[in-house]
Amino acid sequence: MTILVTGGAGFIGSNFIIDWLSNSDEEVINIDKLTYAGNLNNLATLRENKKHIFFRVDIGDSKVCRELINKYKPRAIINFAAESHVDRSIDSPEEFIQTNIIGVLRLLDSANEYWQSLDGKQKKIFRFLHVSTDEVYGSLNADEPAFTETNRYKPNSPYSASKASSDHLVRAYNQTYGLPVLTTNCSNNYGPYQFPEKLIPLFINNALAHKALPIYGDGLQVRDWLYVNDHCSAINAVLERGQIGEVYNIGGMNEKTNLQTIDILCSLLDELCPLKGEVKIKSYRELITYIRDRPGHDRRYAIDCTKIKKELNWEPIENFETGMRKTIEWYISNTKWVEEVTNGQYRKWIERQYA
Ligand code: NAD
Ligand code: TYD
């Protein structure tokens, strides 16, 4: 059998495919537009693997998506493809609307047309799994309970508003056409192959180059961090055992202020990559700087993942210390990967964003 993954050259999608093919013989069709965030080097370990078949395609290109879906007849489509960086959505929101809303609408249409054409067992087993974010629920005060699946949608950035729209479309395709959908809303991920514009890889990369670690505002914003492989195992659980039409929140039960996160990161860097020689600083902590806050910066995200734990028997394996250690070790041993993604375009973004 076959599954079709969109956005499989990005951070979570590539980890998902690597993990999938190390546990299964089932073929993976990977369609990805290869934006700045998509990188085939993430899948370099699968170069000789005939079970991974890649196509450079936009999910909004209905003609090609339909052809590929009809040709490979997947038993499931897992949609990771998205514009995913909040700061870029503040800078230029239009691409977010194009991919995260119009693209998802067209992909749903292609999937629905295919699903309607199936019969018997194939129709029964088909699933469309949409990977979404906890950011659709908005921001919490310090004393509010964590997000459950029934929280109201209150997105605050163009990114989260576009993801919220896509979640609604996914739900509507189930309610209106019967398409067997599943939706997951996950907290902040970290781990190997994350593009170094997000907090953790940006800070590892900057620290190793002895550059400033730029904290937005007071650094007391709270995020719930989940190691990427734990997110992948949750998606697998939802795909295999989730109830059609249901939403599952996924989180690490690991709320940290950004300052706490950076403190752990700096301690691990001091241990794993001690500063020596000509460098004037004694700890990576000395690189911390405070800069202007992000507009509309969400104060706190927290996920209540009781439902997926109870109903699907899912648990994360890593705690923050073990996950961060693996992540830092990966970035230290993969400097070539980092050099290749931090090209001219990337440098322009960093110069503009942190000017
Ligand atoms: P990413 O930006 O690293 O990867 C996105 C991938 O999608 C890239 O490979 C890109 O080339 C591809 N893509 C973009 N537009 C496309 C289009 N129109 N057609 C086909 N491919 C396209 O993002 P990520 O961090 O891997 O996130 C994957 C998914 O998980 C997203 O839907 C995101 O909203 C969701 N999510 C991410 C996090 C997180 O912390 N990173 C947390 C929760 C949910
Ligand atoms: P980010 O990784 O962009 O994820 P998200 O905005 O989706 O949660 O940011 C995580 C947190 O880190 C968020 O509160 C913003 C903050 N942040 C900084 O303080 N400095 C930075 O340079 C970046 C990229 C993020």
PDB file of all heavy atoms in Angstrom, residues 8 35 61 71 81 84 115 130 141 148 164 204 230 237 294 314-315 318 327 340 342 349-350:
ATOM      1  N   GLY A   8       6.724  17.052   2.541  1.00  0.00           N
ATOM      2  CA  GLY A   8       7.642  16.064   3.120  1.00  0.00           C
ATOM      3  C   GLY A   8       9.113  16.441   3.031  1.00  0.00           C
ATOM      4  O   GLY A   8       9.965  15.678   3.496  1.00  0.00           O
ATOM      5  N   THR A  35       9.732  25.271  -1.260  1.00  0.00           N
ATOM      6  CA  THR A  35       9.903  26.697  -0.956  1.00  0.00           C
ATOM      7  C   THR A  35      11.253  26.836  -0.245  1.00  0.00           C
ATOM      8  O   THR A  35      11.983  25.842  -0.083  1.00  0.00           O
ATOM      9  CB  THR A  35       8.805  27.178   0.012  1.00  0.00           C
ATOM     10  OG1 THR A  35       8.992  26.515   1.269  1.00  0.00           O
ATOM     11  CG2 THR A  35       7.409  26.893  -0.522  1.00  0.00           C
ATOM     12  N   ASP A  61      -1.784  22.912  -7.187  1.00  0.00           N
ATOM     13  CA  ASP A  61      -1.833  22.504  -8.596  1.00  0.00           C
ATOM     14  C   ASP A  61      -2.726  21.263  -8.706  1.00  0.00           C
ATOM     15  O   ASP A  61      -2.270  20.120  -8.678  1.00  0.00           O
ATOM     16  CB  ASP A  61      -0.399  22.211  -9.087  1.00  0.00           C
ATOM     17  CG  ASP A  61      -0.355  21.908 -10.574  1.00  0.00           C
ATOM     18  OD1 ASP A  61      -1.406  21.556 -11.159  1.00  0.00           O
ATOM     19  OD2 ASP A  61       0.743  22.027 -11.158  1.00  0.00           O
ATOM     20  N   LYS A  71      -2.814   7.977  -9.880  1.00  0.00           N
ATOM     21  CA  LYS A  71      -1.790   7.013 -10.303  1.00  0.00           C
ATOM     22  C   LYS A  71      -1.363   6.116  -9.135  1.00  0.00           C
ATOM     23  O   LYS A  71      -1.284   4.901  -9.267  1.00  0.00           O
ATOM     24  CB  LYS A  71      -0.582   7.772 -10.857  1.00  0.00           C
ATOM     25  CG  LYS A  71       0.547   6.859 -11.263  1.00  0.00           C
ATOM     26  CD  LYS A  71       1.642   7.582 -12.005  1.00  0.00           C
ATOM     27  CE  LYS A  71       2.742   6.586 -12.326  1.00  0.00           C
ATOM     28  NZ  LYS A  71       3.988   7.204 -12.664  1.00  0.00           N
ATOM     29  N   ALA A  81       2.117  20.223   4.225  1.00  0.00           N
ATOM     30  CA  ALA A  81       2.530  21.395   3.431  1.00  0.00           C
ATOM     31  C   ALA A  81       1.902  22.661   3.975  1.00  0.00           C
ATOM     32  O   ALA A  81       0.693  22.719   4.184  1.00  0.00           O
ATOM     33  CB  ALA A  81       2.135  21.201   1.969  1.00  0.00           C
ATOM     34  N   SER A  84       4.897  28.257   7.342  1.00  0.00           N
ATOM     35  CA  SER A  84       4.806  27.895   8.756  1.00  0.00           C
ATOM     36  C   SER A  84       5.445  28.875   9.744  1.00  0.00           C
ATOM     37  O   SER A  84       5.401  28.631  10.938  1.00  0.00           O
ATOM     38  CB  SER A  84       5.443  26.509   8.955  1.00  0.00           C
ATOM     39  OG  SER A  84       6.849  26.611   8.818  1.00  0.00           O
ATOM     40  N   TRP A 115     -11.524   9.972  -3.461  1.00  0.00           N
ATOM     41  CA  TRP A 115     -12.192   9.117  -2.461  1.00  0.00           C
ATOM     42  C   TRP A 115     -13.590   8.698  -2.942  1.00  0.00           C
ATOM     43  O   TRP A 115     -13.986   7.543  -2.802  1.00  0.00           O
ATOM     44  CB  TRP A 115     -12.280   9.858  -1.128  1.00  0.00           C
ATOM     45  CG  TRP A 115     -13.015   9.081  -0.081  1.00  0.00           C
ATOM     46  CD1 TRP A 115     -12.582   7.949   0.552  1.00  0.00           C
ATOM     47  CD2 TRP A 115     -14.325   9.351   0.426  1.00  0.00           C
ATOM     48  NE1 TRP A 115     -13.536   7.505   1.443  1.00  0.00           N
ATOM     49  CE2 TRP A 115     -14.615   8.354   1.383  1.00  0.00           C
ATOM     50  CE3 TRP A 115     -15.272  10.349   0.187  1.00  0.00           C
ATOM     51  CZ2 TRP A 115     -15.812   8.307   2.092  1.00  0.00           C
ATOM     52  CZ3 TRP A 115     -16.467  10.313   0.893  1.00  0.00           C
ATOM     53  CH2 TRP A 115     -16.733   9.297   1.824  1.00  0.00           C
ATOM     54  N   HIS A 130      -4.914  15.988   8.437  1.00  0.00           N
ATOM     55  CA  HIS A 130      -4.447  17.373   8.315  1.00  0.00           C
ATOM     56  C   HIS A 130      -3.647  17.751   9.568  1.00  0.00           C
ATOM     57  O   HIS A 130      -4.152  17.671  10.686  1.00  0.00           O
ATOM     58  CB  HIS A 130      -5.674  18.279   8.171  1.00  0.00           C
ATOM     59  CG  HIS A 130      -5.349  19.730   8.099  1.00  0.00           C
ATOM     60  ND1 HIS A 130      -4.541  20.273   7.130  1.00  0.00           N
ATOM     61  CD2 HIS A 130      -5.733  20.772   8.895  1.00  0.00           C
ATOM     62  CE1 HIS A 130      -4.437  21.578   7.329  1.00  0.00           C
ATOM     63  NE2 HIS A 130      -5.139  21.906   8.393  1.00  0.00           N
ATOM     64  N   ASN A 141      -3.920  33.293  29.227  1.00  0.00           N
ATOM     65  CA  ASN A 141      -3.339  33.958  30.396  1.00  0.00           C
ATOM     66  C   ASN A 141      -2.654  32.908  31.258  1.00  0.00           C
ATOM     67  O   ASN A 141      -2.932  31.712  31.126  1.00  0.00           O
ATOM     68  CB  ASN A 141      -4.430  34.638  31.225  1.00  0.00           C
ATOM     69  CG  ASN A 141      -5.072  35.762  30.448  1.00  0.00           C
ATOM     70  OD1 ASN A 141      -4.393  36.439  29.680  1.00  0.00           O
ATOM     71  ND2 ASN A 141      -6.369  35.936  30.637  1.00  0.00           N
ATOM     72  N   THR A 148      -8.022  22.583  25.096  1.00  0.00           N
ATOM     73  CA  THR A 148      -8.579  21.269  24.746  1.00  0.00           C
ATOM     74  C   THR A 148      -9.136  21.376  23.333  1.00  0.00           C
ATOM     75  O   THR A 148      -9.204  22.470  22.764  1.00  0.00           O
ATOM     76  CB  THR A 148      -9.727  20.842  25.691  1.00  0.00           C
ATOM     77  OG1 THR A 148     -10.835  21.720  25.440  1.00  0.00           O
ATOM     78  CG2 THR A 148      -9.320  20.911  27.149  1.00  0.00           C
ATOM     79  N   ALA A 164      -6.160  28.168  10.893  1.00  0.00           N
ATOM     80  CA  ALA A 164      -7.523  28.006  11.415  1.00  0.00           C
ATOM     81  C   ALA A 164      -8.497  27.817  10.252  1.00  0.00           C
ATOM     82  O   ALA A 164      -9.363  26.936  10.282  1.00  0.00           O
ATOM     83  CB  ALA A 164      -7.909  29.235  12.243  1.00  0.00           C
ATOM     84  N   ILE A 204      20.721  27.923  18.403  1.00  0.00           N
ATOM     85  CA  ILE A 204      21.882  27.002  18.373  1.00  0.00           C
ATOM     86  C   ILE A 204      22.882  27.515  17.339  1.00  0.00           C
ATOM     87  O   ILE A 204      24.085  27.634  17.591  1.00  0.00           O
ATOM     88  CB  ILE A 204      21.451  25.550  18.021  1.00  0.00           C
ATOM     89  CG1 ILE A 204      20.505  24.982  19.080  1.00  0.00           C
ATOM     90  CG2 ILE A 204      22.681  24.641  17.846  1.00  0.00           C
ATOM     91  CD1 ILE A 204      19.911  23.623  18.735  1.00  0.00           C
ATOM     92  N   ASP A 230       8.304  12.566  18.613  1.00  0.00           N
ATOM     93  CA  ASP A 230       7.093  12.310  19.403  1.00  0.00           C
ATOM     94  C   ASP A 230       5.856  12.827  18.665  1.00  0.00           C
ATOM     95  O   ASP A 230       4.780  12.234  18.749  1.00  0.00           O
ATOM     96  CB  ASP A 230       7.215  12.936  20.791  1.00  0.00           C
ATOM     97  CG  ASP A 230       8.143  12.122  21.692  1.00  0.00           C
ATOM     98  OD1 ASP A 230       8.110  10.882  21.599  1.00  0.00           O
ATOM     99  OD2 ASP A 230       8.899  12.719  22.473  1.00  0.00           O
ATOM    100  N   ALA A 237      -0.358   7.389  15.437  1.00  0.00           N
ATOM    101  CA  ALA A 237      -1.448   6.862  16.286  1.00  0.00           C
ATOM    102  C   ALA A 237      -2.805   7.360  15.786  1.00  0.00           C
ATOM    103  O   ALA A 237      -3.773   6.595  15.703  1.00  0.00           O
ATOM    104  CB  ALA A 237      -1.220   7.293  17.742  1.00  0.00           C
ATOM    105  N   ARG A 294       7.699  40.940  19.074  1.00  0.00           N
ATOM    106  CA  ARG A 294       6.929  40.608  17.861  1.00  0.00           C
ATOM    107  C   ARG A 294       5.546  41.252  17.987  1.00  0.00           C
ATOM    108  O   ARG A 294       4.930  41.151  19.054  1.00  0.00           O
ATOM    109  CB  ARG A 294       6.818  39.079  17.820  1.00  0.00           C
ATOM    110  CG  ARG A 294       5.886  38.541  16.769  1.00  0.00           C
ATOM    111  CD  ARG A 294       5.664  37.038  16.965  1.00  0.00           C
ATOM    112  NE  ARG A 294       6.727  36.231  16.407  1.00  0.00           N
ATOM    113  CZ  ARG A 294       6.815  34.893  16.572  1.00  0.00           C
ATOM    114  NH1 ARG A 294       5.914  34.251  17.296  1.00  0.00           N
ATOM    115  NH2 ARG A 294       7.797  34.228  16.028  1.00  0.00           N
ATOM    116  N   TRP A 314      -1.311   7.244  23.418  1.00  0.00           N
ATOM    117  CA  TRP A 314      -0.057   7.869  22.966  1.00  0.00           C
ATOM    118  C   TRP A 314       0.635   8.591  24.116  1.00  0.00           C
ATOM    119  O   TRP A 314      -0.029   9.191  24.964  1.00  0.00           O
ATOM    120  CB  TRP A 314      -0.340   8.864  21.835  1.00  0.00           C
ATOM    121  CG  TRP A 314       0.877   9.691  21.501  1.00  0.00           C
ATOM    122  CD1 TRP A 314       1.907   9.339  20.672  1.00  0.00           C
ATOM    123  CD2 TRP A 314       1.195  10.998  22.006  1.00  0.00           C
ATOM    124  NE1 TRP A 314       2.841  10.345  20.630  1.00  0.00           N
ATOM    125  CE2 TRP A 314       2.436  11.384  21.443  1.00  0.00           C
ATOM    126  CE3 TRP A 314       0.559  11.887  22.879  1.00  0.00           C
ATOM    127  CZ2 TRP A 314       3.047  12.608  21.719  1.00  0.00           C
ATOM    128  CZ3 TRP A 314       1.172  13.103  23.154  1.00  0.00           C
ATOM    129  CH2 TRP A 314       2.406  13.450  22.579  1.00  0.00           C
ATOM    130  N   GLU A 315       1.946   8.495  24.155  1.00  0.00           N
ATOM    131  CA  GLU A 315       2.766   9.214  25.143  1.00  0.00           C
ATOM    132  C   GLU A 315       4.035   9.698  24.448  1.00  0.00           C
ATOM    133  O   GLU A 315       4.610   8.959  23.652  1.00  0.00           O
ATOM    134  CB  GLU A 315       3.256   8.259  26.248  1.00  0.00           C
ATOM    135  CG  GLU A 315       2.241   7.811  27.253  1.00  0.00           C
ATOM    136  CD  GLU A 315       2.021   8.803  28.383  1.00  0.00           C
ATOM    137  OE1 GLU A 315       2.786   9.789  28.461  1.00  0.00           O
ATOM    138  OE2 GLU A 315       1.079   8.589  29.154  1.00  0.00           O
ATOM    139  N   GLU A 318      10.463  11.513  24.700  1.00  0.00           N
ATOM    140  CA  GLU A 318      11.542  12.395  25.164  1.00  0.00           C
ATOM    141  C   GLU A 318      11.040  13.389  26.209  1.00  0.00           C
ATOM    142  O   GLU A 318       9.904  13.855  26.129  1.00  0.00           O
ATOM    143  CB  GLU A 318      12.110  13.212  23.988  1.00  0.00           C
ATOM    144  CG  GLU A 318      12.622  12.403  22.824  1.00  0.00           C
ATOM    145  CD  GLU A 318      13.834  11.546  23.147  1.00  0.00           C
ATOM    146  OE1 GLU A 318      14.525  11.812  24.156  1.00  0.00           O
ATOM    147  OE2 GLU A 318      14.086  10.603  22.379  1.00  0.00           O
ATOM    148  N   THR A 327      18.937  17.251  19.925  1.00  0.00           N
ATOM    149  CA  THR A 327      18.832  18.302  18.900  1.00  0.00           C
ATOM    150  C   THR A 327      20.161  19.046  18.760  1.00  0.00           C
ATOM    151  O   THR A 327      20.662  19.227  17.651  1.00  0.00           O
ATOM    152  CB  THR A 327      17.707  19.296  19.291  1.00  0.00           C
ATOM    153  OG1 THR A 327      16.516  18.543  19.481  1.00  0.00           O
ATOM    154  CG2 THR A 327      17.490  20.344  18.231  1.00  0.00           C
ATOM    155  N   GLU A 340      24.422  24.854   4.145  1.00  0.00           N
ATOM    156  CA  GLU A 340      23.708  24.838   2.872  1.00  0.00           C
ATOM    157  C   GLU A 340      22.350  25.542   2.932  1.00  0.00           C
ATOM    158  O   GLU A 340      21.902  26.100   1.942  1.00  0.00           O
ATOM    159  CB  GLU A 340      23.567  23.393   2.372  1.00  0.00           C
ATOM    160  CG  GLU A 340      24.857  22.977   1.690  1.00  0.00           C
ATOM    161  CD  GLU A 340      24.944  21.497   1.382  1.00  0.00           C
ATOM    162  OE1 GLU A 340      23.923  20.797   1.499  1.00  0.00           O
ATOM    163  OE2 GLU A 340      26.045  21.064   1.040  1.00  0.00           O
ATOM    164  N   THR A 342      21.628  28.052   5.078  1.00  0.00           N
ATOM    165  CA  THR A 342      21.779  29.474   5.416  1.00  0.00           C
ATOM    166  C   THR A 342      22.446  30.214   4.245  1.00  0.00           C
ATOM    167  O   THR A 342      23.515  30.787   4.371  1.00  0.00           O
ATOM    168  CB  THR A 342      22.583  29.643   6.725  1.00  0.00           C
ATOM    169  OG1 THR A 342      23.754  28.834   6.646  1.00  0.00           O
ATOM    170  CG2 THR A 342      21.798  29.246   7.934  1.00  0.00           C
ATOM    171  N   TRP A 349      16.868  37.533   4.909  1.00  0.00           N
ATOM    172  CA  TRP A 349      15.761  37.511   5.880  1.00  0.00           C
ATOM    173  C   TRP A 349      16.258  37.907   7.271  1.00  0.00           C
ATOM    174  O   TRP A 349      15.686  38.747   7.947  1.00  0.00           O
ATOM    175  CB  TRP A 349      15.100  36.123   5.920  1.00  0.00           C
ATOM    176  CG  TRP A 349      14.289  35.910   7.169  1.00  0.00           C
ATOM    177  CD1 TRP A 349      14.628  35.174   8.263  1.00  0.00           C
ATOM    178  CD2 TRP A 349      13.012  36.501   7.470  1.00  0.00           C
ATOM    179  NE1 TRP A 349      13.652  35.261   9.222  1.00  0.00           N
ATOM    180  CE2 TRP A 349      12.640  36.076   8.769  1.00  0.00           C
ATOM    181  CE3 TRP A 349      12.150  37.357   6.787  1.00  0.00           C
ATOM    182  CZ2 TRP A 349      11.456  36.459   9.382  1.00  0.00           C
ATOM    183  CZ3 TRP A 349      10.966  37.737   7.405  1.00  0.00           C
ATOM    184  CH2 TRP A 349      10.636  37.290   8.675  1.00  0.00           C
ATOM    185  N   ILE A 350      17.380  37.306   7.688  1.00  0.00           N
ATOM    186  CA  ILE A 350      17.918  37.553   9.032  1.00  0.00           C
ATOM    187  C   ILE A 350      18.301  39.036   9.177  1.00  0.00           C
ATOM    188  O   ILE A 350      17.981  39.677  10.179  1.00  0.00           O
ATOM    189  CB  ILE A 350      19.137  36.626   9.313  1.00  0.00           C
ATOM    190  CG1 ILE A 350      18.689  35.154   9.372  1.00  0.00           C
ATOM    191  CG2 ILE A 350      19.892  37.023  10.571  1.00  0.00           C
ATOM    192  CD1 ILE A 350      17.867  34.754  10.576  1.00  0.00           C
TER     193      ILE A 350
END
